[in-house]
Short mmCIF file of all heavy atoms in Angstrom, two decimals:
data_model
loop_
_atom_site.label_atom_id
_atom_site.label_comp_id
_atom_site.label_asym_id
_atom_site.label_seq_id
_atom_site.Cartn_x
_atom_site.Cartn_y
_atom_site.Cartn_z
N SER A 887 -6.66 -2.51 10.99
CA SER A 887 -6.93 -3.29 9.80
C SER A 887 -5.89 -3.07 8.72
O SER A 887 -5.54 -3.99 8.02
CB SER A 887 -8.30 -2.92 9.24
OG SER A 887 -9.32 -3.28 10.13
N GLY A 888 -5.44 -1.85 8.51
CA GLY A 888 -4.43 -1.57 7.51
C GLY A 888 -5.00 -1.44 6.11
O GLY A 888 -6.15 -1.08 5.92
N VAL A 889 -4.17 -1.78 5.12
CA VAL A 889 -4.53 -1.63 3.71
C VAL A 889 -5.20 -2.92 3.23
O VAL A 889 -4.60 -3.99 3.32
CB VAL A 889 -3.29 -1.34 2.85
CG1 VAL A 889 -3.67 -1.19 1.40
CG2 VAL A 889 -2.58 -0.10 3.34
N GLN A 890 -6.42 -2.81 2.72
CA GLN A 890 -7.11 -3.98 2.20
C GLN A 890 -7.05 -4.06 0.67
O GLN A 890 -6.95 -5.14 0.11
CB GLN A 890 -8.60 -3.99 2.62
CG GLN A 890 -8.83 -4.26 4.07
CD GLN A 890 -8.80 -2.99 4.91
OE1 GLN A 890 -9.22 -1.95 4.49
NE2 GLN A 890 -8.29 -3.11 6.11
N VAL A 891 -7.13 -2.92 -0.01
CA VAL A 891 -7.17 -2.88 -1.48
C VAL A 891 -6.41 -1.66 -1.96
O VAL A 891 -6.49 -0.60 -1.35
CB VAL A 891 -8.63 -2.78 -1.99
CG1 VAL A 891 -8.67 -2.63 -3.51
CG2 VAL A 891 -9.46 -3.97 -1.56
N ILE A 892 -5.68 -1.83 -3.07
CA ILE A 892 -5.04 -0.70 -3.74
C ILE A 892 -5.46 -0.76 -5.20
O ILE A 892 -5.34 -1.80 -5.84
CB ILE A 892 -3.50 -0.75 -3.62
CG1 ILE A 892 -3.09 -0.57 -2.17
CG2 ILE A 892 -2.86 0.31 -4.51
CD1 ILE A 892 -1.62 -0.76 -1.92
N LEU A 893 -5.97 0.35 -5.72
CA LEU A 893 -6.40 0.43 -7.10
C LEU A 893 -5.67 1.59 -7.76
O LEU A 893 -5.77 2.73 -7.29
CB LEU A 893 -7.91 0.66 -7.20
CG LEU A 893 -8.41 0.78 -8.62
CD1 LEU A 893 -8.99 -0.54 -9.08
CD2 LEU A 893 -9.44 1.87 -8.72
N THR A 894 -4.93 1.28 -8.81
CA THR A 894 -4.25 2.34 -9.56
C THR A 894 -4.57 2.16 -11.04
O THR A 894 -4.55 1.05 -11.56
CB THR A 894 -2.73 2.32 -9.35
OG1 THR A 894 -2.21 1.06 -9.77
CG2 THR A 894 -2.36 2.56 -7.90
N SER A 895 -4.89 3.24 -11.68
CA SER A 895 -5.13 3.27 -13.12
C SER A 895 -4.79 4.68 -13.60
O SER A 895 -4.59 5.57 -12.78
CB SER A 895 -6.60 2.93 -13.42
OG SER A 895 -7.45 4.01 -13.07
N PRO A 896 -4.73 4.88 -14.91
CA PRO A 896 -4.46 6.24 -15.39
C PRO A 896 -5.51 7.26 -14.93
O PRO A 896 -5.20 8.43 -14.76
CB PRO A 896 -4.47 6.09 -16.91
CG PRO A 896 -4.14 4.66 -17.16
CD PRO A 896 -4.75 3.91 -16.02
N GLU A 897 -6.73 6.79 -14.70
CA GLU A 897 -7.81 7.71 -14.32
C GLU A 897 -7.89 7.98 -12.82
O GLU A 897 -8.34 9.04 -12.40
CB GLU A 897 -9.17 7.16 -14.77
CG GLU A 897 -9.34 7.09 -16.27
CD GLU A 897 -8.69 5.86 -16.87
OE1 GLU A 897 -8.63 4.81 -16.20
OE2 GLU A 897 -8.23 5.93 -18.02
N ARG A 898 -7.50 7.00 -12.00
CA ARG A 898 -7.63 7.20 -10.55
C ARG A 898 -6.68 6.32 -9.76
O ARG A 898 -6.22 5.29 -10.24
CB ARG A 898 -9.06 6.94 -10.10
CG ARG A 898 -9.53 5.54 -10.37
CD ARG A 898 -10.97 5.39 -9.98
NE ARG A 898 -11.44 4.09 -10.44
CZ ARG A 898 -12.60 3.59 -10.15
NH1 ARG A 898 -13.43 4.26 -9.40
NH2 ARG A 898 -12.96 2.42 -10.61
N GLN A 899 -6.39 6.78 -8.55
CA GLN A 899 -5.57 6.03 -7.60
C GLN A 899 -6.24 6.12 -6.25
O GLN A 899 -6.54 7.21 -5.77
CB GLN A 899 -4.16 6.62 -7.52
CG GLN A 899 -3.37 6.46 -8.81
CD GLN A 899 -1.96 6.96 -8.64
OE1 GLN A 899 -1.72 7.99 -8.02
NE2 GLN A 899 -1.02 6.22 -9.18
N LEU A 900 -6.50 4.96 -5.66
CA LEU A 900 -7.13 4.96 -4.34
C LEU A 900 -6.76 3.70 -3.60
O LEU A 900 -6.25 2.74 -4.17
CB LEU A 900 -8.65 5.10 -4.46
CG LEU A 900 -9.42 4.07 -5.28
CD1 LEU A 900 -9.82 2.88 -4.44
CD2 LEU A 900 -10.65 4.73 -5.86
N ALA A 901 -7.04 3.72 -2.30
CA ALA A 901 -6.79 2.57 -1.45
C ALA A 901 -7.94 2.44 -0.47
O ALA A 901 -8.60 3.43 -0.13
CB ALA A 901 -5.48 2.74 -0.68
N VAL A 902 -8.18 1.22 -0.03
CA VAL A 902 -9.10 0.99 1.07
C VAL A 902 -8.23 0.75 2.30
O VAL A 902 -7.48 -0.22 2.36
CB VAL A 902 -10.04 -0.21 0.80
CG1 VAL A 902 -10.92 -0.46 2.01
CG2 VAL A 902 -10.88 0.03 -0.44
N ILE A 903 -8.31 1.70 3.23
CA ILE A 903 -7.48 1.67 4.45
C ILE A 903 -8.42 1.70 5.64
O ILE A 903 -9.26 2.59 5.75
CB ILE A 903 -6.51 2.87 4.50
CG1 ILE A 903 -5.60 2.85 3.27
CG2 ILE A 903 -5.70 2.85 5.79
CD1 ILE A 903 -4.72 4.07 3.12
N ASP A 904 -8.28 0.71 6.51
CA ASP A 904 -9.15 0.59 7.68
C ASP A 904 -10.63 0.61 7.29
O ASP A 904 -11.47 1.19 7.96
CB ASP A 904 -8.86 1.71 8.69
CG ASP A 904 -7.44 1.68 9.21
OD1 ASP A 904 -6.83 0.59 9.21
OD2 ASP A 904 -6.94 2.72 9.63
N GLY A 905 -10.95 0.00 6.12
CA GLY A 905 -12.33 -0.08 5.68
C GLY A 905 -12.87 1.15 5.00
O GLY A 905 -14.03 1.19 4.63
N ARG A 906 -12.04 2.18 4.80
CA ARG A 906 -12.47 3.43 4.16
C ARG A 906 -11.81 3.58 2.79
O ARG A 906 -10.61 3.34 2.66
CB ARG A 906 -12.06 4.64 5.00
CG ARG A 906 -12.81 4.77 6.31
CD ARG A 906 -12.43 6.05 7.06
NE ARG A 906 -12.34 7.21 6.18
CZ ARG A 906 -11.35 8.10 6.23
NH1 ARG A 906 -10.38 7.98 7.11
NH2 ARG A 906 -11.35 9.13 5.41
N VAL A 907 -12.57 4.01 1.79
CA VAL A 907 -12.01 4.30 0.47
C VAL A 907 -11.34 5.67 0.54
O VAL A 907 -11.98 6.67 0.89
CB VAL A 907 -13.12 4.30 -0.61
CG1 VAL A 907 -12.53 4.70 -1.95
CG2 VAL A 907 -13.79 2.94 -0.69
N VAL A 908 -10.04 5.70 0.23
CA VAL A 908 -9.26 6.94 0.34
C VAL A 908 -8.57 7.22 -0.99
O VAL A 908 -7.73 6.44 -1.44
CB VAL A 908 -8.18 6.82 1.45
CG1 VAL A 908 -7.42 8.12 1.61
CG2 VAL A 908 -8.79 6.38 2.76
N PRO A 909 -8.91 8.31 -1.66
CA PRO A 909 -8.21 8.67 -2.90
C PRO A 909 -6.83 9.24 -2.59
O PRO A 909 -6.57 9.72 -1.48
CB PRO A 909 -9.12 9.74 -3.51
CG PRO A 909 -9.78 10.37 -2.34
CD PRO A 909 -9.95 9.28 -1.31
N LEU A 910 -5.95 9.20 -3.58
CA LEU A 910 -4.64 9.82 -3.42
C LEU A 910 -4.85 11.29 -3.07
O LEU A 910 -5.65 11.98 -3.72
CB LEU A 910 -3.85 9.69 -4.73
CG LEU A 910 -2.37 10.02 -4.66
CD1 LEU A 910 -1.64 9.04 -3.74
CD2 LEU A 910 -1.75 9.97 -6.03
N GLY A 911 -4.21 11.77 -2.02
CA GLY A 911 -4.40 13.13 -1.54
C GLY A 911 -5.44 13.23 -0.44
O GLY A 911 -5.61 14.29 0.15
N GLY A 912 -6.14 12.11 -0.17
CA GLY A 912 -7.18 12.12 0.86
C GLY A 912 -6.61 11.96 2.26
O GLY A 912 -5.46 11.57 2.45
N ASP A 913 -7.43 12.29 3.24
CA ASP A 913 -7.03 12.22 4.64
C ASP A 913 -7.41 10.88 5.24
O ASP A 913 -8.52 10.39 5.04
CB ASP A 913 -7.71 13.33 5.45
CG ASP A 913 -7.26 14.72 5.01
OD1 ASP A 913 -6.11 14.84 4.55
OD2 ASP A 913 -8.06 15.66 5.11
N VAL A 914 -6.47 10.30 5.99
CA VAL A 914 -6.70 9.03 6.68
C VAL A 914 -5.69 8.90 7.82
O VAL A 914 -4.55 9.35 7.69
CB VAL A 914 -6.60 7.84 5.70
CG1 VAL A 914 -5.21 7.69 5.12
CG2 VAL A 914 -7.06 6.54 6.34
N ARG A 915 -6.11 8.34 8.93
CA ARG A 915 -5.24 8.11 10.09
C ARG A 915 -4.49 9.37 10.53
O ARG A 915 -3.34 9.31 10.95
CB ARG A 915 -4.23 7.00 9.80
CG ARG A 915 -4.81 5.63 9.70
CD ARG A 915 -3.72 4.60 9.65
NE ARG A 915 -4.26 3.25 9.65
CZ ARG A 915 -3.53 2.18 9.81
NH1 ARG A 915 -2.22 2.27 9.95
NH2 ARG A 915 -4.10 0.99 9.80
N GLY A 916 -5.10 10.51 10.39
CA GLY A 916 -4.48 11.76 10.82
C GLY A 916 -3.41 12.27 9.88
O GLY A 916 -2.66 13.18 10.22
N GLY A 917 -3.32 11.69 8.69
CA GLY A 917 -2.34 12.12 7.71
C GLY A 917 -2.96 12.19 6.33
O GLY A 917 -4.18 12.10 6.19
N THR A 918 -2.11 12.32 5.32
CA THR A 918 -2.56 12.42 3.93
C THR A 918 -1.95 11.29 3.12
O THR A 918 -0.75 11.02 3.23
CB THR A 918 -2.11 13.77 3.33
OG1 THR A 918 -2.64 14.82 4.14
CG2 THR A 918 -2.62 13.94 1.91
N LEU A 919 -2.76 10.63 2.30
CA LEU A 919 -2.27 9.58 1.41
C LEU A 919 -1.51 10.24 0.27
O LEU A 919 -2.10 10.96 -0.55
CB LEU A 919 -3.45 8.76 0.88
CG LEU A 919 -3.11 7.60 -0.05
CD1 LEU A 919 -2.22 6.57 0.64
CD2 LEU A 919 -4.38 6.95 -0.56
N VAL A 920 -0.19 10.03 0.22
CA VAL A 920 0.64 10.72 -0.76
C VAL A 920 1.27 9.80 -1.79
O VAL A 920 1.87 10.27 -2.76
CB VAL A 920 1.76 11.55 -0.07
CG1 VAL A 920 1.15 12.68 0.75
CG2 VAL A 920 2.68 10.68 0.75
N GLY A 921 1.16 8.49 -1.61
CA GLY A 921 1.75 7.58 -2.58
C GLY A 921 1.15 6.19 -2.51
O GLY A 921 0.71 5.76 -1.44
N LEU A 922 1.13 5.51 -3.67
CA LEU A 922 0.63 4.15 -3.74
C LEU A 922 1.53 3.31 -4.63
O LEU A 922 2.06 3.80 -5.63
CB LEU A 922 -0.79 4.12 -4.32
CG LEU A 922 -1.90 4.70 -3.47
CD1 LEU A 922 -3.18 4.82 -4.28
CD2 LEU A 922 -2.13 3.83 -2.25
N SER A 923 1.71 2.05 -4.28
CA SER A 923 2.36 1.08 -5.15
C SER A 923 1.45 -0.14 -5.19
O SER A 923 0.35 -0.13 -4.63
CB SER A 923 3.75 0.72 -4.61
OG SER A 923 3.63 -0.12 -3.48
N ASP A 924 1.90 -1.21 -5.82
CA ASP A 924 1.08 -2.41 -5.91
C ASP A 924 0.74 -3.00 -4.55
O ASP A 924 -0.29 -3.64 -4.39
CB ASP A 924 1.78 -3.49 -6.74
CG ASP A 924 1.85 -3.13 -8.21
OD1 ASP A 924 1.08 -2.25 -8.65
OD2 ASP A 924 2.66 -3.73 -8.92
N SER A 925 1.61 -2.78 -3.56
CA SER A 925 1.39 -3.44 -2.27
C SER A 925 1.58 -2.53 -1.06
O SER A 925 1.65 -3.01 0.06
CB SER A 925 2.32 -4.64 -2.14
OG SER A 925 3.67 -4.22 -2.21
N SER A 926 1.65 -1.21 -1.27
CA SER A 926 1.83 -0.32 -0.13
C SER A 926 1.18 1.04 -0.37
O SER A 926 0.95 1.44 -1.50
CB SER A 926 3.32 -0.13 0.19
OG SER A 926 3.97 0.54 -0.86
N ALA A 927 0.90 1.70 0.75
CA ALA A 927 0.36 3.05 0.72
C ALA A 927 1.25 3.92 1.61
O ALA A 927 1.68 3.49 2.68
CB ALA A 927 -1.07 3.07 1.25
N VAL A 928 1.54 5.14 1.16
CA VAL A 928 2.41 6.04 1.91
C VAL A 928 1.59 7.21 2.43
O VAL A 928 0.91 7.89 1.66
CB VAL A 928 3.56 6.57 1.02
CG1 VAL A 928 4.47 7.50 1.82
CG2 VAL A 928 4.36 5.42 0.43
N LEU A 929 1.65 7.41 3.74
CA LEU A 929 0.98 8.53 4.38
C LEU A 929 2.01 9.55 4.83
O LEU A 929 3.11 9.19 5.26
CB LEU A 929 0.19 8.06 5.62
CG LEU A 929 -0.82 6.94 5.43
CD1 LEU A 929 -1.48 6.62 6.76
CD2 LEU A 929 -1.83 7.29 4.38
N ARG A 930 1.65 10.83 4.75
CA ARG A 930 2.50 11.90 5.29
C ARG A 930 1.74 12.50 6.45
O ARG A 930 0.59 12.91 6.33
CB ARG A 930 2.80 12.95 4.24
CG ARG A 930 3.78 14.01 4.76
CD ARG A 930 4.25 14.94 3.69
NE ARG A 930 4.71 14.26 2.49
CZ ARG A 930 5.98 13.90 2.27
NH1 ARG A 930 6.89 14.15 3.16
NH2 ARG A 930 6.32 13.31 1.15
N LYS A 931 2.42 12.54 7.59
CA LYS A 931 1.80 13.06 8.82
C LYS A 931 2.85 13.83 9.61
O LYS A 931 3.90 13.28 9.94
CB LYS A 931 1.25 11.90 9.66
CG LYS A 931 0.59 12.32 10.93
CD LYS A 931 0.06 11.10 11.67
CE LYS A 931 -0.55 11.52 12.99
NZ LYS A 931 -1.01 10.37 13.76
N ASP A 932 2.58 15.08 9.87
CA ASP A 932 3.50 15.93 10.65
C ASP A 932 4.92 15.91 10.10
O ASP A 932 5.89 15.84 10.83
CB ASP A 932 3.50 15.49 12.12
CG ASP A 932 2.14 15.62 12.76
OD1 ASP A 932 1.38 16.53 12.37
OD2 ASP A 932 1.82 14.79 13.64
N GLY A 933 5.05 15.92 8.77
CA GLY A 933 6.36 15.97 8.14
C GLY A 933 7.08 14.64 8.03
O GLY A 933 8.16 14.57 7.48
N SER A 934 6.49 13.56 8.54
CA SER A 934 7.13 12.25 8.42
C SER A 934 6.29 11.35 7.52
O SER A 934 5.14 11.63 7.23
CB SER A 934 7.31 11.61 9.80
OG SER A 934 6.05 11.33 10.38
N ARG A 935 6.91 10.27 7.07
CA ARG A 935 6.22 9.32 6.19
C ARG A 935 5.93 8.03 6.94
O ARG A 935 6.75 7.57 7.73
CB ARG A 935 7.10 8.97 4.99
CG ARG A 935 7.28 10.07 4.03
CD ARG A 935 8.21 9.71 2.90
NE ARG A 935 8.52 8.30 2.82
CZ ARG A 935 8.70 7.61 1.71
NH1 ARG A 935 8.65 8.22 0.58
NH2 ARG A 935 8.99 6.34 1.73
N ASP A 936 4.79 7.44 6.67
CA ASP A 936 4.40 6.17 7.24
C ASP A 936 4.01 5.26 6.09
O ASP A 936 3.10 5.58 5.33
CB ASP A 936 3.24 6.35 8.22
CG ASP A 936 2.89 5.10 8.98
OD1 ASP A 936 3.70 4.14 8.95
OD2 ASP A 936 1.82 5.06 9.60
N VAL A 937 4.71 4.14 5.93
CA VAL A 937 4.42 3.20 4.84
C VAL A 937 3.56 2.07 5.39
O VAL A 937 3.97 1.37 6.33
CB VAL A 937 5.72 2.65 4.22
CG1 VAL A 937 5.40 1.64 3.13
CG2 VAL A 937 6.57 3.78 3.68
N LEU A 938 2.37 1.91 4.82
CA LEU A 938 1.47 0.83 5.21
C LEU A 938 1.55 -0.27 4.16
O LEU A 938 1.37 -0.01 2.97
CB LEU A 938 0.03 1.34 5.29
CG LEU A 938 -0.24 2.56 6.17
CD1 LEU A 938 -1.70 2.96 6.05
CD2 LEU A 938 0.11 2.25 7.61
N LEU A 939 1.84 -1.49 4.60
CA LEU A 939 1.96 -2.60 3.68
C LEU A 939 0.64 -3.36 3.59
O LEU A 939 -0.04 -3.56 4.60
CB LEU A 939 3.06 -3.55 4.14
CG LEU A 939 4.46 -2.94 4.24
CD1 LEU A 939 5.45 -3.97 4.77
CD2 LEU A 939 4.91 -2.42 2.89
N MET A 940 0.33 -3.81 2.38
CA MET A 940 -0.91 -4.54 2.19
C MET A 940 -0.85 -5.90 2.88
O MET A 940 -1.82 -6.34 3.46
CB MET A 940 -1.17 -4.72 0.70
CG MET A 940 -2.51 -5.28 0.39
SD MET A 940 -2.66 -5.42 -1.38
CE MET A 940 -4.16 -4.62 -1.65
N HIS A 941 0.29 -6.56 2.82
CA HIS A 941 0.48 -7.87 3.44
C HIS A 941 1.72 -7.83 4.33
O HIS A 941 2.76 -8.36 3.96
CB HIS A 941 0.65 -8.96 2.37
CG HIS A 941 -0.49 -9.03 1.41
ND1 HIS A 941 -1.71 -9.53 1.75
CD2 HIS A 941 -0.60 -8.62 0.12
CE1 HIS A 941 -2.51 -9.47 0.70
NE2 HIS A 941 -1.86 -8.90 -0.29
N PRO A 942 1.62 -7.21 5.49
CA PRO A 942 2.82 -7.02 6.31
C PRO A 942 3.44 -8.31 6.82
O PRO A 942 4.63 -8.35 7.11
CB PRO A 942 2.33 -6.16 7.48
CG PRO A 942 0.87 -6.38 7.52
CD PRO A 942 0.44 -6.65 6.11
N ALA A 943 2.68 -9.41 6.92
CA ALA A 943 3.23 -10.66 7.46
C ALA A 943 3.90 -11.51 6.39
O ALA A 943 4.51 -12.52 6.71
CB ALA A 943 2.11 -11.45 8.13
N ILE A 944 3.81 -11.12 5.13
CA ILE A 944 4.40 -11.91 4.05
C ILE A 944 5.76 -11.32 3.70
O ILE A 944 5.89 -10.15 3.39
CB ILE A 944 3.50 -11.90 2.80
CG1 ILE A 944 2.17 -12.59 3.13
CG2 ILE A 944 4.20 -12.59 1.63
CD1 ILE A 944 1.17 -12.53 2.00
N ASP A 945 6.78 -12.15 3.77
CA ASP A 945 8.14 -11.73 3.44
C ASP A 945 8.48 -12.29 2.06
O ASP A 945 8.63 -13.50 1.90
CB ASP A 945 9.11 -12.26 4.50
CG ASP A 945 10.52 -11.75 4.30
OD1 ASP A 945 10.70 -10.72 3.62
OD2 ASP A 945 11.45 -12.39 4.82
N LYS A 946 8.55 -11.43 1.04
CA LYS A 946 8.83 -11.89 -0.32
C LYS A 946 10.30 -12.20 -0.48
O LYS A 946 11.16 -11.42 -0.09
CB LYS A 946 8.41 -10.82 -1.33
CG LYS A 946 6.94 -10.59 -1.38
CD LYS A 946 6.60 -9.59 -2.45
CE LYS A 946 5.11 -9.35 -2.50
NZ LYS A 946 4.75 -8.37 -3.54
N LYS A 947 10.58 -13.37 -1.07
CA LYS A 947 11.94 -13.79 -1.35
C LYS A 947 11.99 -14.33 -2.77
O LYS A 947 11.01 -14.92 -3.23
CB LYS A 947 12.37 -14.89 -0.37
CG LYS A 947 12.39 -14.45 1.07
CD LYS A 947 12.79 -15.61 1.96
CE LYS A 947 12.73 -15.17 3.41
NZ LYS A 947 13.01 -16.26 4.33
N PRO A 948 13.12 -14.19 -3.44
CA PRO A 948 13.21 -14.78 -4.78
C PRO A 948 13.18 -16.31 -4.66
O PRO A 948 13.62 -16.87 -3.64
CB PRO A 948 14.56 -14.29 -5.31
CG PRO A 948 15.31 -13.86 -4.11
CD PRO A 948 14.32 -13.48 -3.05
N PRO A 949 12.67 -17.01 -5.69
CA PRO A 949 12.62 -18.47 -5.61
C PRO A 949 14.02 -19.05 -5.59
O PRO A 949 14.94 -18.52 -6.22
CB PRO A 949 11.85 -18.87 -6.86
CG PRO A 949 11.92 -17.69 -7.78
CD PRO A 949 12.11 -16.49 -6.90
N SER A 950 14.18 -20.15 -4.87
CA SER A 950 15.47 -20.83 -4.84
C SER A 950 15.61 -21.63 -6.12
O SER A 950 14.67 -21.86 -6.87
CB SER A 950 15.55 -21.76 -3.63
OG SER A 950 14.63 -22.82 -3.78
N ASN A 951 16.82 -22.13 -6.38
CA ASN A 951 17.06 -22.92 -7.58
C ASN A 951 16.20 -24.17 -7.59
O ASN A 951 15.71 -24.59 -8.63
CB ASN A 951 18.54 -23.30 -7.70
CG ASN A 951 19.39 -22.10 -8.08
OD1 ASN A 951 18.90 -21.17 -8.71
ND2 ASN A 951 20.66 -22.12 -7.70
N ALA A 952 15.97 -24.80 -6.46
CA ALA A 952 15.16 -26.02 -6.37
C ALA A 952 13.71 -25.73 -6.73
O ALA A 952 13.03 -26.56 -7.34
CB ALA A 952 15.24 -26.62 -4.97
N GLU A 953 13.19 -24.55 -6.38
CA GLU A 953 11.80 -24.20 -6.66
C GLU A 953 11.60 -23.87 -8.13
O GLU A 953 10.50 -23.95 -8.64
CB GLU A 953 11.37 -23.02 -5.81
CG GLU A 953 11.27 -23.35 -4.35
CD GLU A 953 11.00 -22.10 -3.49
OE1 GLU A 953 11.32 -20.99 -3.96
OE2 GLU A 953 10.50 -22.27 -2.38
N ARG A 954 12.66 -23.50 -8.84
CA ARG A 954 12.55 -23.12 -10.26
C ARG A 954 12.40 -24.33 -11.17
O ARG A 954 11.98 -24.21 -12.28
CB ARG A 954 13.77 -22.31 -10.68
CG ARG A 954 13.82 -20.95 -10.03
CD ARG A 954 15.01 -20.17 -10.51
NE ARG A 954 15.11 -18.95 -9.76
CZ ARG A 954 16.18 -18.19 -9.72
NH1 ARG A 954 17.24 -18.51 -10.41
NH2 ARG A 954 16.19 -17.09 -9.01
N LYS A 955 12.81 -25.49 -10.71
CA LYS A 955 12.77 -26.71 -11.55
C LYS A 955 11.43 -27.36 -11.55
O LYS A 955 10.59 -27.24 -10.83
CB LYS A 955 13.83 -27.69 -11.08
CG LYS A 955 15.23 -27.13 -11.27
CD LYS A 955 16.25 -28.09 -10.80
CE LYS A 955 17.63 -27.49 -10.99
NZ LYS A 955 18.69 -28.35 -10.53
#
């Protein structure tokens, strides 16, 4: 399922990953949630990093000149 929701505020940071609410520092997928951005969650597992994207099938591109008009 991956990342469904990311919530960040001065008081708390958490993500819903595979249907589970996981706070920053929490355990998920055999690793630890060590970072969050607006659209990704970073897990540390066995010394490596795994970046989970909220929308992995969407490729963001800047708008073309024609789309700006």
Side-chain angles (χ1 to χ4, degrees):
S887 295
V889 180
Q890 289 88 35
V891 176
I892 294 173
L893 179 99
T894 59
S895 73
E897 294 81 31
R898 61 183 171 173
Q899 294 184 319
L900 58 88
V902 177
I903 301 173
D904 299 334
R906 291 184 43 224
V907 176
V908 183
L910 192 64
D913 295 330
V914 64
R915 290 189 176 190
T918 303
L919 181 61
V920 295
L922 290 170
S923 74
D924 290 342
S925 60
S926 66
V928 180
L929 305 180
R930 184 172 312 268
K931 180 179 177 183
D932 299 328
S934 65
R935 290 177 12 144
D936 187 13
V937 178
L938 306 176
L939 300 177
M940 188 180 231
H941 303 287
I944 296 175
D945 186 21
K946 293 183 180 180
K947 297 178 183 176
S950 67
N951 288 333
E953 291 173 338
R954 291 182 187 165
K955 295 180 181 179

